[in-house]
């Protein structure tokens, strides 16, 4: 058979490919142009170059072999120089001209790494937890779970719930926000929860736990509905936190819940009638402190006990604390007006001053200023606002009676100087008795009452020596005396691994500005507004001096506290950035 005509030209026409016989599918391809020969492949040297290739002649010759980096992460040979040339053209991928892999600038992580933070176990848990709370989360030391938990890991919801319940008791007892956060962090860390962030804002407690950067965080919160002053319960909670955070004692979650329930069920160490008698003795001792005699002592004690009973009645009827303070302030002022209208020669101002000593919210004031100084501004503002409301209640109760007394012709005139020191021995005993009664009213443990009484005597002795002998202004003398109270209170709390509040709050009782408050209110009642405001401003300055002095004394003790390091002698730890260390 004759061959097809289409094959003849294929054999004779191809340039450079004579004798090539196309495949059957090439010959019958429906997409090829009919009668057009296949395009020959170009030579290798004619292939188009890549658009990402470096043009010929731009790349410099390879560096000597000994100059090339040996690290697997180092820049390949010739890239740095090429990038340098490209940098002049504004390449976004060019490294900075000052960059050096061997000598990186301080902004980068140093080659030796970030130094590991080590915390000694000899320091109290308050210091260790407070220091870690001031660190970023990524720089905190790896937790050492001192308490055992189940094999599957810690029960996160139960640990968070226990942490919030303990924080609630501490905050309700008047503890500062920083110490509450430190206690909450100690509980969660002791049970193996590392990435926890506790938050305290006056009446709201919250804690967030995030297992890792890729896991969802778990957040729980709790609201403090009721606050009560009971330093015995506060000391028990501190002991529980100390036992949980200590590796020498084993406290399981069930044991911690059992002890917490016992703390909640415990009765107050002193019955109600003892508290009433203590409030009366406190007012009587305060009246003697400002120059009163035996009759003034009895009048101030009786009026304070009547005011305490009126406040209890208001509390039983469900009235807010504001009206309770109004009722408690009515009785001392009414007693003073009655004695002024009587033929007895009684220093009525000392009676009212003694009653005000038992009502001034010194505990809330110290806690509010301390929260502000430690950076908890929301909690500090709320506490100080609470103090302001209570002081307004006292002003309303006293002024309402003073206006009535002046209308009846009572001879209420300023008779004593502010914190006059005329009988040092008697007034020292009165100051110690005042601190003792304050400790009873705060429901302190009986073994701490004697120490607080001595601390209050030291505070008044220092104040009297500075104000009488050295002629130092009352505000400065009060600040120095309060600083010693805070210093000794911090020492006692570290020695007993307890809160510093039981050793500080009652001891500042003799320093409270009862006389300045009374004289300011009396001047306002008599129409002397400028004099009254000046006296009230002095009372506010004294109160702030007390709060700042107490906090400064505590910080001075922490400043000189030496903590042994790991493998080196005792050294002081450097302060954290914008904060302080221990």
């Amino acid at each position: 058979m004759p061959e097809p005509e289409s094959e003849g030209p294929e054999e004779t026409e191809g340039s450079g490919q004579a004798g090539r016989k196309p495949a059957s599918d090439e010959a019958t391809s429906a997409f090829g142009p009919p009668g057009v020969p296949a395009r020959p492949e170009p030579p290798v040297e004619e292939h188009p170059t890549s658009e990402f290739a470096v043009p010929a002649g731009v790349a410099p010759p390879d560096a000597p072999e000994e100059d090339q980096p040996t690290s697997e992460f180092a820049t390949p040979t010739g890239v740095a120089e090429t990038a340098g040339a490209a940098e002049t053209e504004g390449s976004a991928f060019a490294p900075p001209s000052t960059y050096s892999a061997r000598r990186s600038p301080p902004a980068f992580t140093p080659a030796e790494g970030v130094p590991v933070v080590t915390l000694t176990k000899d320091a109290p848990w308050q210091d260790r937890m407070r220091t870690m709370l001031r660190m970023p989360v990524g720089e905190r030391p790896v937790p050492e779970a001192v308490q055992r938990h189940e094999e599957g890991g810690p029960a996160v919801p139960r640990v968070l719930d226990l942490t919030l319940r303990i924080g609630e008791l501490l905050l309700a007892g008047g503890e500062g926000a920083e110490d509450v956060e430190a206690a909450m962090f100690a509980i969660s860390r002791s049970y193996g929860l590392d990435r926890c962030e506790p938050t305290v804002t006056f009446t709201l407690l919250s804690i967030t736990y995030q297992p890792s950067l890729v896991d969802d965080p778990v957040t729980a919160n709790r609201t403090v509905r009721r606050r009560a002053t009971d330093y015995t319960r506060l000391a028990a909670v501190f002991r529980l936190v100390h036992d949980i955070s200590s590796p020498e004692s084993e406290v399981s979650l069930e044991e911690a819940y059992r002890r917490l329930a016992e703390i909640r069920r415990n009765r107050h160490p002193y019955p109600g009638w003892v508290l009433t008698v203590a409030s009366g003795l406190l007012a009587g001792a305060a009246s003697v402190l400002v120059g009163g005699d035996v009759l003034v002592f009895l009048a101030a004690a009786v009026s304070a006990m009547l005011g305490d009973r009126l406040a209890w009645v208001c509390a039983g009827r469900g009235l807010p604390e504001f009206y309770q303070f109004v009722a408690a302030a009515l009785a001392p002022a009414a007693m003073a007006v009655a004695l002024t209208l009587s033929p007895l020669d009684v220093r009525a101002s000392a009676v009212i001053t003694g009653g005000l000593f038992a009502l001034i919210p010194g505990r809330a004031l110290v806690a509010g200023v301390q929260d502000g100084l430690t950076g908890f501004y929301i909690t500090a503002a709320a506490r100080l606002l609470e103090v302001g409301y209570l002081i307004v209640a006292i002003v309303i109760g006293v002024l309402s009676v003073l206006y009535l007394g002046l209308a009846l012709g009572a001879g209420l005139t300023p008779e004593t100087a502010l914190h006059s020191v005329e009988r040092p021995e008697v007034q020292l005993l009165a100051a110690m008795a005042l601190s003792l009664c304050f400790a009873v009213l705060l429901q302190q443990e009986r073994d701490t009452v004697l120490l607080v009484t001595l601390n209050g005597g030291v505070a008044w002795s220092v104040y009297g020596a500075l104000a009488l002998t050295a002629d130092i202004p009352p505000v400065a003398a009060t600040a120095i005396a309060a600083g010693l109270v805070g210093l000794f209170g911090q020492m006692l709390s570290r020695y007993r691994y307890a809160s510093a509040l039981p050793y500080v709050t009652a001891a500042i009782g003799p320093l409270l500005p009862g006389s300045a408050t009374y004289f300011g209110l009396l001047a306002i009642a008599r129409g002397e507004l400028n004099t009254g405001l000046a006296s009230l401003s002095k009372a506010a300055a004294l109160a702030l001096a007390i709060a700042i002095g107490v906090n400064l004394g505590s910080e001075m003790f922490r400043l000189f506290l030496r903590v042994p390091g790991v493998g080196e002698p005792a050294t002081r730890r450097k302060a954290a950035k914008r904060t302080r260390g221990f």
Side-chain angles (χ1 to χ4, degrees):
M1 264 184 89
E3 295 183 0
E5 296 180 0
S6 59
E7 292 184 2
E10 291 285 342
E11 296 179 357
T12 59
E13 290 182 1
S15 86
Q17 296 183 0
R20 175 181 175 271
K21 188 176 181 179
S24 58
D25 55 346
E26 274 187 353
T28 59
S29 173
F31 299 97
V36 178
R39 187 176 181 179
E41 296 182 3
V44 177
E45 59 272 7
E46 295 181 6
H47 275 291
T49 58
S50 172
E51 60 179 341
F52 298 102
V54 180
V58 175
D62 295 337
E65 187 174 349
E66 59 271 13
D67 294 337
Q68 296 192 12
T70 57
S71 172
E72 61 183 282
F73 300 100
T75 306
T77 303
V79 175
E81 292 81 358
T82 304
E87 184 182 357
T88 59
E89 301 178 2
S91 174
F93 301 96
S97 58
T98 59
Y99 175 77
S100 174
R102 297 182 179 179
R103 296 181 180 180
S104 60
F108 296 92
T109 303
E112 61 273 10
V114 179
V116 179
V117 179
T118 57
L119 299 175
T120 177
K121 298 180 181 179
D122 298 332
W125 62 265
Q126 297 100 315
D127 289 334
R128 291 185 282 113
M129 298 302 112
R130 190 181 293 110
T131 301
M132 282 189 287
L133 280 174
R134 292 167 182 158
M135 298 180 185
V137 178
E139 298 181 8
R140 293 173 183 170
V142 179
E144 298 179 4
V146 299
Q147 301 299 332
R148 298 179 181 177
H149 47 71
E150 300 174 359
E151 295 181 358
V156 175
R158 297 193 66 193
V159 173
L160 297 183
D161 179 72
L162 176 66
T163 302
L164 290 174
R165 290 178 183 272
I166 291 177
E168 177 190 8
L169 288 181
L170 293 176
L171 189 62
E175 192 61 69
E178 187 179 29
D179 291 330
V180 174
E181 283 195 0
M184 295 173 63
F185 190 75
I187 297 299
S188 60
R189 189 176 177 88
S190 299
Y191 285 108
L193 303 185
D194 178 27
R195 304 177 66 88
C196 284
E197 287 295 336
T199 305
V200 177
T201 53
F202 191 51
T203 58
L204 180 64
L205 299 170
S206 63
I207 184 169
T208 302
Y209 169 66
Q210 188 174 13
S212 65
L213 295 177
V214 297
D215 293 329
D216 295 332
V218 180
T219 303
N221 55 56
R222 195 173 185 88
T223 303
V224 179
R225 301 291 183 184
R226 182 180 178 184
R227 286 172 292 168
T229 304
D230 189 347
Y231 283 177
T232 299
R233 178 180 296 175
L234 187 67
V237 176
F238 260 76
R239 285 193 293 269
L240 175 59
V241 177
H242 172 69
D243 292 342
I244 292 176
S245 59
S246 176
E248 286 78 15
S249 59
E250 181 178 349
V251 183
S252 62
L253 282 174
E254 290 73 15
E255 177 68 16
Y257 270 106
R258 185 190 63 81
R259 291 179 58 177
L260 191 62
E262 291 180 355
I263 293 173
R264 287 181 174 274
R265 289 195 302 265
N266 281 348
R267 298 174 60 88
H268 298 303
Y270 308 104
W273 66 270
V274 174
L275 300 180
T276 301
V277 173
S279 63
L281 294 178
L282 187 152
S287 65
V288 174
L289 199 64
V290 294
D293 53 9
V294 177
L295 185 57
V296 171
F297 174 86
L298 294 176
V302 172
S303 63
M305 287 189 287
L306 290 177
D308 183 75
R309 286 295 94 190
L310 285 175
W312 276 99
V313 171
C314 294
R317 298 295 186 273
L319 291 177
E321 194 174 13
F322 179 87
Y323 300 105
Q324 298 176 26
F325 270 74
V326 172
L330 290 174
M335 179 66 72
V337 170
L339 290 175
T340 304
L341 296 175
S342 68
L344 298 175
D345 185 13
V346 180
R347 306 179 72 176
S349 59
V351 176
I352 299 180
T353 300
L356 293 180
F357 263 87
L359 296 177
I360 295 177
R363 173 185 59 85
L365 177 65
V366 171
V369 174
Q370 181 180 0
D371 288 341
L373 294 177
T374 52
F376 295 85
Y377 301 113
I378 297 178
T379 306
R383 289 186 189 271
L384 294 178
L385 184 61
E386 179 190 23
V387 172
Y389 270 105
L390 297 182
I391 291 178
V392 169
I394 297 173
V395 170
I396 292 175
V398 174
L399 279 182
S400 59
V401 178
L402 291 182
Y403 279 125
L404 180 61
L406 292 176
L408 296 176
L412 296 171
T413 56
E415 302 170 2
T416 58
L418 183 62
H419 286 315
S420 59
V421 181
E422 301 174 356
R423 301 167 295 175
E425 297 83 4
V426 176
Q427 291 178 331
L428 177 60
L429 295 176
M432 296 176 67
L434 190 152
S435 298
L436 187 148
C437 295
F438 244 127
V440 173
L441 288 176
L442 294 173
Q443 302 282 359
Q444 292 190 196
E445 293 179 307
R446 298 178 181 179
D447 58 345
T448 64
V449 172
L450 179 60
L451 297 175
V452 173
T453 303
L454 295 176
N455 201 8
V458 170
W460 180 256
S461 300
V462 172
Y463 173 82
L466 294 176
L468 182 65
T469 305
D471 292 332
I472 294 179
V475 175
T478 301
I480 295 174
L484 289 178
V485 169
L487 177 64
F488 294 149
Q490 195 67 230
M491 292 174 61
L492 292 173
S493 68
R494 300 300 178 86
Y495 174 73
R496 302 173 66 106
Y497 290 95
S499 172
L501 286 181
Y503 304 99
V504 170
T505 306
I508 64 174
L511 303 176
L512 293 176
S515 297
T517 305
Y518 163 68
F519 291 136
L521 298 179
L522 179 60
I524 293 175
R526 298 180 60 181
E528 302 172 359
L529 185 59
N530 293 334
T531 305
L533 292 179
S535 184
L536 290 180
S537 300
K538 194 171 187 178
L542 289 171
L544 291 177
I546 293 173
I548 295 175
V550 168
N551 183 265
L552 182 60
S554 301
E555 296 302 327
M556 290 295 291
F557 180 81
R558 293 173 183 170
L559 179 64
F560 294 104
L561 176 66
R562 293 186 176 272
V563 181
V566 179
E568 55 187 33
T571 55
R572 276 187 298 176
R573 187 182 174 85
K574 293 183 179 180
K577 192 175 182 180
R578 294 186 294 109
T579 59
R580 65 192 183 286
F582 69 92

